[in-house]
Protein backbone atom coordinates (compact mmCIF):
# COMPACT_ATOMS: atom_id res chain seq x y z
CA UNK A 1 0.00 0.00 0.00
CA UNK A 2 1.38 3.41 -0.92
CA UNK A 3 2.14 5.76 2.02
CA UNK A 4 -0.74 8.00 3.05
CA UNK A 5 0.05 11.65 3.76
CA UNK A 6 -1.21 12.51 7.24
CA UNK A 7 -2.23 15.97 6.03
CA UNK A 8 -4.93 14.29 3.95
CA UNK A 9 -6.74 12.84 6.96
CA UNK A 10 -9.72 15.16 6.49
CA UNK A 11 -9.64 15.02 2.69
CA UNK A 12 -13.04 13.29 2.34
CA UNK A 13 -14.65 16.43 3.81
CA UNK A 14 -12.64 18.85 1.68
CA UNK A 15 -14.83 19.97 -1.23
CA UNK A 16 -11.85 21.75 -2.79
CA UNK A 17 -10.64 18.30 -3.84
CA UNK A 18 -12.13 16.38 -6.73
CA UNK A 19 -14.70 13.68 -5.89
CA UNK A 20 -12.31 11.06 -7.29
CA UNK A 21 -9.50 12.26 -5.01
CA UNK A 22 -11.72 12.37 -1.93
CA UNK A 23 -12.90 8.82 -2.52
CA UNK A 24 -9.37 7.62 -3.31
CA UNK A 25 -8.03 8.94 0.01
CA UNK A 26 -10.92 7.39 1.97
CA UNK A 27 -10.23 4.02 0.36
CA UNK A 28 -6.52 4.25 1.19
CA UNK A 29 -7.34 5.10 4.80
CA UNK A 30 -9.72 2.16 4.90
CA UNK A 31 -6.98 -0.18 3.67
CA UNK A 32 -4.67 1.01 6.45
CA UNK A 33 -7.34 0.61 9.13
CA UNK A 34 -8.24 -2.89 7.94
CA UNK A 35 -4.57 -3.83 7.91
CA UNK A 36 -4.03 -2.69 11.51
CA UNK A 37 -7.33 -4.04 12.90
CA UNK A 38 -6.86 -7.42 11.21
CA UNK A 39 -3.35 -7.68 12.69
CA UNK A 40 -4.67 -6.90 16.19
CA UNK A 41 -7.54 -9.40 15.89
CA UNK A 42 -5.35 -12.23 14.63
CA UNK A 43 -2.48 -11.46 17.00
CA UNK A 44 -4.93 -11.66 19.92
CA UNK A 45 -6.28 -15.02 18.75
CA UNK A 46 -2.80 -16.49 18.34
CA UNK A 47 -0.88 -14.99 21.26
CA UNK A 48 -3.54 -14.23 23.87
CA UNK A 49 -5.61 -17.42 23.86
CA UNK A 50 -5.51 -17.62 27.66
CA UNK A 51 -6.81 -14.07 28.04
CA UNK A 52 -9.69 -14.83 25.68
CA UNK A 53 -10.97 -17.33 28.26
CA UNK A 54 -11.98 -14.33 30.39
CA UNK A 55 -15.49 -13.15 29.53
CA UNK A 56 -14.75 -9.44 29.27
CA UNK A 57 -11.67 -9.82 27.09
CA UNK A 58 -13.58 -12.24 24.86
CA UNK A 59 -16.50 -9.80 24.55
CA UNK A 60 -14.12 -6.89 23.90
CA UNK A 61 -12.49 -8.94 21.14
CA UNK A 62 -15.92 -9.72 19.69
CA UNK A 63 -16.70 -5.98 19.59
CA UNK A 64 -13.57 -5.34 17.53
CA UNK A 65 -14.18 -8.30 15.22
CA UNK A 66 -17.77 -7.35 14.48
CA UNK A 67 -16.93 -3.68 13.90
CA UNK A 68 -14.08 -4.67 11.59
CA UNK A 69 -16.17 -7.15 9.59
CA UNK A 70 -18.90 -4.51 9.24
CA UNK A 71 -16.30 -2.05 8.01
CA UNK A 72 -15.05 -4.64 5.50
CA UNK A 73 -18.58 -4.74 4.06
CA UNK A 74 -18.57 -0.93 3.96
CA UNK A 75 -15.25 -0.95 2.08
CA UNK A 76 -16.48 -3.54 -0.41
CA UNK A 77 -19.70 -1.65 -1.10
CA UNK A 78 -17.82 1.62 -1.53
CA UNK A 79 -15.22 0.22 -3.90
CA UNK A 80 -17.44 -2.12 -5.91
CA UNK A 81 -20.82 -0.37 -5.73
CA UNK A 82 -24.21 -1.95 -6.37
CA UNK A 83 -25.43 -3.26 -9.69
CA UNK A 84 -29.02 -3.81 -10.82
CA UNK A 85 -29.89 -6.19 -13.64
CA UNK A 86 -33.04 -5.54 -15.65
CA UNK A 87 -34.01 -7.28 -18.91
CA UNK A 88 -30.44 -8.21 -19.61
CA UNK A 89 -29.19 -4.69 -18.96
CA UNK A 90 -26.77 -3.73 -16.19
CA UNK A 91 -27.54 -0.61 -14.16
CA UNK A 92 -24.88 0.71 -11.82
CA UNK A 93 -26.78 2.18 -8.88
CA UNK A 94 -25.49 5.56 -7.81
CA UNK A 95 -26.30 5.54 -4.13
CA UNK A 96 -24.25 7.80 -1.91
CA UNK A 97 -26.11 6.56 1.18
CA UNK A 98 -25.58 2.84 0.63
CA UNK A 99 -23.13 2.37 3.53
CA UNK A 100 -24.81 4.65 6.09
CA UNK A 101 -26.38 1.78 8.02
CA UNK A 102 -23.04 -0.03 8.19
CA UNK A 103 -21.23 3.09 9.37
CA UNK A 104 -23.87 3.74 12.01
CA UNK A 105 -23.48 0.17 13.30
CA UNK A 106 -19.71 0.58 13.61
CA UNK A 107 -20.23 3.84 15.52
CA UNK A 108 -22.65 2.22 17.97
CA UNK A 109 -20.19 -0.61 18.61
CA UNK A 110 -17.50 1.98 19.36
CA UNK A 111 -19.85 3.92 21.66
CA UNK A 112 -20.94 0.84 23.60
CA UNK A 113 -17.35 -0.38 23.91
CA UNK A 114 -16.36 3.01 25.33
CA UNK A 115 -19.25 3.02 27.80
CA UNK A 116 -18.39 -0.49 29.02
CA UNK A 117 -14.61 -0.53 29.08
CA UNK A 118 -13.38 3.07 29.23
CA UNK A 119 -15.91 5.44 30.76
CA UNK A 120 -16.53 3.95 34.25
CA UNK A 121 -14.36 5.67 36.87
CA UNK A 122 -13.98 2.72 39.24
CA UNK A 123 -14.17 -1.07 39.32
CA UNK A 124 -17.49 -0.84 41.18
CA UNK A 125 -18.99 1.46 38.53
CA UNK A 126 -17.68 -0.80 35.76
CA UNK A 127 -19.39 -3.80 37.38
CA UNK A 128 -22.74 -2.02 37.57
CA UNK A 129 -22.49 -0.71 33.99
CA UNK A 130 -21.62 -4.20 32.76
CA UNK A 131 -24.59 -5.76 34.54
CA UNK A 132 -26.91 -3.00 33.32
CA UNK A 133 -25.80 -3.84 29.77
CA UNK A 134 -26.40 -7.57 30.41
CA UNK A 135 -29.90 -6.84 31.68
CA UNK A 136 -30.81 -4.87 28.55
CA UNK A 137 -29.26 -7.59 26.38
CA UNK A 138 -31.32 -10.28 28.08
CA UNK A 139 -34.53 -8.26 27.72
CA UNK A 140 -34.37 -9.10 24.01
CA UNK A 141 -35.38 -12.65 24.91
CA UNK A 142 -38.51 -11.47 26.69
CA UNK A 143 -41.72 -10.46 24.96
CA UNK A 144 -41.44 -12.88 22.05
CA UNK A 145 -44.65 -14.83 21.56
CA UNK A 146 -43.47 -18.36 22.34
CA UNK A 147 -46.48 -20.13 20.84
CA UNK A 148 -45.94 -23.84 21.40
CA UNK A 149 -42.15 -23.58 21.48
CA UNK A 150 -40.95 -24.99 24.79
CA UNK A 151 -37.41 -23.86 23.97
CA UNK A 152 -38.47 -20.18 23.77
CA UNK A 153 -40.53 -20.55 26.95
CA UNK A 154 -37.52 -21.98 28.77
CA UNK A 155 -35.20 -19.27 27.45
CA UNK A 156 -37.66 -16.54 28.49
CA UNK A 157 -37.96 -18.01 31.97
CA UNK A 158 -34.19 -18.25 32.30
CA UNK A 159 -33.72 -14.68 31.08
CA UNK A 160 -36.26 -13.37 33.62
CA UNK A 161 -34.45 -15.14 36.43
CA UNK A 162 -31.05 -13.86 35.31
CA UNK A 163 -32.38 -10.31 35.09
CA UNK A 164 -33.84 -10.59 38.58
CA UNK A 165 -30.49 -11.74 39.98
CA UNK A 166 -28.54 -9.03 38.15
CA UNK A 167 -30.88 -6.32 39.47
CA UNK A 168 -30.41 -7.63 43.00
CA UNK A 169 -26.63 -7.63 42.61
CA UNK A 170 -26.62 -4.04 41.30
CA UNK A 171 -28.89 -2.67 44.04
CA UNK A 172 -26.90 -4.41 46.79
CA UNK A 173 -23.69 -2.58 45.88
CA UNK A 174 -22.57 0.51 47.79
CA UNK A 175 -23.46 2.76 44.85
CA UNK A 176 -26.68 0.85 44.32
CA UNK A 177 -27.76 1.64 47.88
CA UNK A 178 -26.67 5.30 47.63
CA UNK A 179 -28.86 5.94 44.56
CA UNK A 180 -31.35 3.12 45.01
CA UNK A 181 -34.47 4.88 43.69
CA UNK A 182 -32.89 6.18 40.46
CA UNK A 183 -31.28 2.85 39.67
CA UNK A 184 -34.38 0.88 40.62
CA UNK A 185 -36.51 2.97 38.25
CA UNK A 186 -34.05 2.39 35.39
CA UNK A 187 -33.78 -1.32 36.07
CA UNK A 188 -37.56 -1.79 36.24
CA UNK A 189 -38.15 -0.15 32.88
CA UNK A 190 -39.66 -2.99 30.84
CA UNK A 191 -38.45 -1.74 27.48
CA UNK A 192 -34.97 -2.46 26.18
CA UNK A 193 -32.76 0.56 26.77
CA UNK A 194 -30.00 1.26 24.26
CA UNK A 195 -26.87 2.99 25.43
CA UNK A 196 -25.54 2.90 28.96
CA UNK A 197 -25.43 4.72 32.31
CA UNK A 198 -22.90 6.80 34.19
CA UNK A 199 -22.55 7.87 37.81
CA UNK A 200 -21.98 11.44 38.95
CA UNK A 201 -20.40 11.76 42.37
CA UNK A 202 -20.63 14.86 44.55
CA UNK A 203 -19.00 14.29 47.92
CA UNK A 204 -20.58 10.99 48.99
CA UNK A 205 -23.75 11.41 46.94
CA UNK A 206 -24.27 9.65 43.61
CA UNK A 207 -26.69 10.34 40.82
CA UNK A 208 -27.30 8.31 37.66
CA UNK A 209 -27.42 9.54 34.08
CA UNK A 210 -28.53 7.58 31.07
CA UNK A 211 -26.13 7.70 28.12
CA UNK A 212 -27.45 7.31 24.60
CA UNK A 213 -25.43 6.54 21.50
CA UNK A 214 -26.25 10.00 20.19
CA UNK A 215 -24.40 11.48 23.19
CA UNK A 216 -21.28 9.38 22.82
CA UNK A 217 -19.50 11.91 20.60
CA UNK A 218 -19.10 14.22 23.63
CA UNK A 219 -16.86 11.62 25.24
CA UNK A 220 -15.21 10.16 22.16
CA UNK A 221 -14.37 13.44 20.43
CA UNK A 222 -14.92 15.97 23.23
CA UNK A 223 -16.23 19.50 22.82
CA UNK A 224 -14.19 20.26 19.70
CA UNK A 225 -15.04 21.09 16.12
CA UNK A 226 -14.56 17.39 15.35
CA UNK A 227 -16.97 16.48 18.15
CA UNK A 228 -19.65 18.90 16.94
CA UNK A 229 -19.15 17.57 13.42
CA UNK A 230 -19.66 14.04 14.73
CA UNK A 231 -22.88 15.03 16.47
CA UNK A 232 -24.24 16.27 13.16
CA UNK A 233 -22.92 13.24 11.28
CA UNK A 234 -24.64 10.81 13.68
CA UNK A 235 -27.98 12.46 12.94
CA UNK A 236 -27.16 12.17 9.26
CA UNK A 237 -26.28 8.48 9.62
CA UNK A 238 -29.50 7.84 11.52
CA UNK A 239 -31.63 9.69 8.96
CA UNK A 240 -30.34 7.39 6.23
CA UNK A 241 -30.56 4.23 8.34
CA UNK A 242 -34.27 4.53 9.19
CA UNK A 243 -37.35 5.00 6.98
CA UNK A 244 -37.91 8.65 7.86
CA UNK A 245 -39.39 11.25 5.52
CA UNK A 246 -36.43 13.62 5.18
CA UNK A 247 -34.01 10.79 4.58
CA UNK A 248 -36.16 9.27 1.84
CA UNK A 249 -36.61 12.69 0.20
CA UNK A 250 -32.84 13.16 0.13
CA UNK A 251 -32.49 9.66 -1.28
CA UNK A 252 -34.79 10.49 -4.19
CA UNK A 253 -33.17 13.86 -4.81
CA UNK A 254 -29.53 12.71 -4.67
CA UNK A 255 -27.36 13.72 -7.58
CA UNK A 256 -26.67 11.21 -10.32
CA UNK A 257 -23.11 12.46 -10.42
CA UNK A 258 -20.34 11.51 -8.03
CA UNK A 259 -19.86 14.53 -5.76
CA UNK A 260 -17.44 12.74 -3.44
CA UNK A 261 -20.07 12.10 -0.74
CA UNK A 262 -19.52 8.34 -1.05
CA UNK A 263 -16.20 8.89 0.74
CA UNK A 264 -17.73 10.32 3.93
CA UNK A 265 -19.39 7.19 5.43
CA UNK A 266 -16.28 5.10 4.69
CA UNK A 267 -14.07 7.77 6.26
CA UNK A 268 -16.20 7.91 9.41
CA UNK A 269 -16.23 4.12 9.62
CA UNK A 270 -12.41 4.16 9.38
CA UNK A 271 -12.19 6.57 12.29
CA UNK A 272 -14.57 4.52 14.44
CA UNK A 273 -12.72 1.24 13.83
CA UNK A 274 -9.35 2.91 14.48
CA UNK A 275 -10.51 4.32 17.81
CA UNK A 276 -12.16 1.03 18.83
CA UNK A 277 -8.95 -0.79 17.97
CA UNK A 278 -6.92 1.54 20.21
CA UNK A 279 -9.41 1.15 23.07
CA UNK A 280 -9.23 -2.63 22.70
CA UNK A 281 -5.42 -2.58 22.86
CA UNK A 282 -5.70 -0.96 26.29
CA UNK A 283 -7.26 -4.22 27.49
CA UNK A 284 -4.13 -6.22 26.59
CA UNK A 285 -0.66 -6.35 28.15
CA UNK A 286 1.74 -4.27 26.02
CA UNK A 287 -1.26 -3.33 23.86
CA UNK A 288 0.27 -0.55 21.80
CA UNK A 289 3.44 -2.57 21.44
CA UNK A 290 1.49 -5.00 19.28
CA UNK A 291 1.13 -2.43 16.52
CA UNK A 292 4.30 -0.44 17.19
CA UNK A 293 6.38 -3.51 16.32
CA UNK A 294 4.45 -4.19 13.12
CA UNK A 295 3.77 -0.83 11.47
CA UNK A 296 5.91 2.10 10.38
CA UNK A 297 5.92 5.43 12.29
CA UNK A 298 4.10 7.06 9.36
CA UNK A 299 1.39 4.37 9.34
CA UNK A 300 0.95 4.66 13.10
CA UNK A 301 0.86 8.46 12.99
CA UNK A 302 -1.83 8.36 10.32
CA UNK A 303 -3.78 5.69 12.22
CA UNK A 304 -3.68 7.68 15.47
CA UNK A 305 -4.74 10.91 13.77
CA UNK A 306 -7.54 9.10 11.97
CA UNK A 307 -8.85 7.63 15.23
CA UNK A 308 -9.62 11.16 16.45
CA UNK A 309 -10.30 12.74 13.04
CA UNK A 310 -7.39 15.11 13.68
CA UNK A 311 -5.80 16.96 10.79
CA UNK A 312 -3.62 19.98 10.30
CA UNK A 313 -5.37 20.93 7.04
CA UNK A 314 -8.20 23.41 6.81
CA UNK A 315 -11.29 21.96 5.18
CA UNK A 316 -14.65 23.14 4.00
CA UNK A 317 -16.64 20.73 6.12
CA UNK A 318 -20.17 20.03 5.08
Amino acid sequence: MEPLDKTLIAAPFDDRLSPKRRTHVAIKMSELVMKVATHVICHTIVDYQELLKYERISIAHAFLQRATSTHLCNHKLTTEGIVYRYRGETFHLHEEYRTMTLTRSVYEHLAMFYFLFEHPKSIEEAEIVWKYWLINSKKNKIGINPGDSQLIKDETKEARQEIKELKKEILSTRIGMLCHKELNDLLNNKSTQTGSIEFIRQNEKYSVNRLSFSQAWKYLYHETDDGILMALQYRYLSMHSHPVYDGLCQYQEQSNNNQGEEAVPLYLSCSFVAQLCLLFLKQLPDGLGIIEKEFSPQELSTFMALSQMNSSVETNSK
Side-chain angles (χ1 to χ4, degrees):
M1 185 185 77
E2 66 182 74
L4 182 65
D5 186 348
K6 182 183 172 183
T7 61
L8 291 175
I9 288 297
F13 287 106
D14 191 348
D15 58 14
R16 296 170 299 183
L17 300 175
S18 69
K20 184 177 180 180
R21 181 59 175 163
R22 292 168 66 185
T23 302
H24 172 78
V25 173
I27 290 171
K28 289 301 176 184
M29 286 191 290
S30 178
E31 289 172 352
L32 173 62
V33 166
M34 290 190 296
K35 184 179 175 183
V36 176
T38 300
H39 175 76
V40 172
I41 290 168
C42 295
H43 183 86
T44 304
I45 293 171
V46 173
D47 295 317
Y48 288 102
Q49 291 183 10
E50 290 301 312
L51 275 181
L52 287 174
K53 293 179 182 178
Y54 293 95
E55 180 184 45
R56 294 200 185 197
I57 297 296
S58 179
I59 292 296
H61 192 243
F63 265 93
L64 180 59
Q65 286 190 82
R66 184 186 279 179
T68 302
S69 64
T70 303
H71 178 77
L72 285 168
C73 295
N74 192 330
H75 183 93
K76 190 174 180 67
L77 268 178
T78 302
T79 55
E80 297 181 15
I82 302 174
V83 174
Y84 284 161
R85 298 191 183 279
Y86 176 71
R87 294 182 178 177
E89 297 276 343
T90 297
F91 292 83
H92 186 86
L93 177 64
H94 175 75
E95 215 276 75
E96 65 187 67
Y97 311 114
R98 60 181 174 268
T99 61
M100 291 292 190
T101 300
L102 297 170
T103 300
R104 184 174 184 270
S105 177
V106 175
Y107 174 76
E108 291 183 351
H109 277 75
L110 167 62
M112 196 69 240
F113 190 100
Y114 177 85
F115 290 151
L116 287 172
F117 295 96
E118 185 73 13
H119 191 57
K121 296 180 286 292
S122 67
I123 294 175
E124 184 181 22
E125 288 185 21
E127 282 291 326
I128 295 174
V129 169
W130 181 267
K131 289 173 181 176
Y132 178 81
W133 176 64
L134 288 179
I135 287 172
N136 283 313
S137 298
K138 293 179 185 299
K139 283 181 180 179
N140 289 314
K141 293 184 178 180
I142 299 175
I144 301 173
N145 184 2
D148 295 327
S149 172
Q150 187 59 43
L151 176 61
I152 294 180
K153 289 180 180 178
D154 291 343
E155 286 183 346
T156 300
K157 182 179 179 181
E158 182 181 358
R160 290 185 186 279
Q161 183 59 36
E162 289 173 339
I163 289 172
K164 182 179 179 181
E165 291 173 2
L166 287 167
K167 286 180 180 178
K168 184 178 179 181
E169 290 172 9
I170 288 175
L171 294 173
S172 64
T173 63
R174 182 180 64 91
I175 294 177
M177 289 185 281
L178 287 172
C179 48
H180 185 277
K181 185 181 185 307
E182 291 175 280
L183 267 176
N184 192 54
D185 289 344
L186 282 172
L187 295 171
N188 287 327
N189 191 318
K190 293 183 179 181
S191 63
T192 302
Q193 301 290 319
T194 58
S196 186
I197 55 174
E198 68 174 349
F199 298 95
I200 307 300
R201 179 180 177 180
Q202 292 181 326
N203 297 322
E204 289 302 314
K205 293 184 178 180
Y206 280 88
S207 59
V208 187
N209 286 338
R210 281 202 61 241
L211 297 172
S212 66
F213 293 141
S214 62
Q215 294 173 303
W217 66 270
K218 297 178 182 179
Y219 305 95
L220 295 168
Y221 300 100
H222 312 295
E223 299 289 347
T224 63
D225 289 343
D226 289 333
I228 295 170
L229 173 64
M230 190 55 246
L232 296 173
Q233 290 297 335
Y234 183 69
R235 295 178 193 172
Y236 192 58
L237 294 174
S238 298
M239 184 169 64
H240 290 289
S241 298
H242 299 295
V244 297
Y245 176 81
D246 289 337
L248 290 168
C249 284
Q250 284 193 21
Y251 184 96
Q252 285 295 77
E253 294 166 2
Q254 66 181 314
S255 170
N256 289 323
N257 299 316
N258 181 6
Q259 301 297 320
E261 301 307 311
E262 291 89 340
V264 173
L266 183 64
Y267 167 83
L268 292 172
S269 186
C270 287
S271 179
F272 304 152
V273 173
Q275 188 168 174
L276 178 50
C277 191
L278 292 174
L279 290 175
F280 173 75
L281 287 173
K282 294 174 73 172
Q283 308 300 312
L284 302 179
D286 189 32
L288 280 179
I290 293 173
I291 58 176
E292 288 172 345
K293 297 169 186 175
E294 183 71 17
F295 300 97
S296 70
Q298 183 184 19
E299 287 175 321
L300 290 175
S301 177
T302 302
F303 186 80
M304 298 294 185
L306 180 59
S307 73
Q308 283 295 318
M309 293 194 284
N310 289 334
S311 174
S312 60
V313 299
E314 295 181 359
T315 62
N316 297 323
S317 298
K318 292 189 179 295

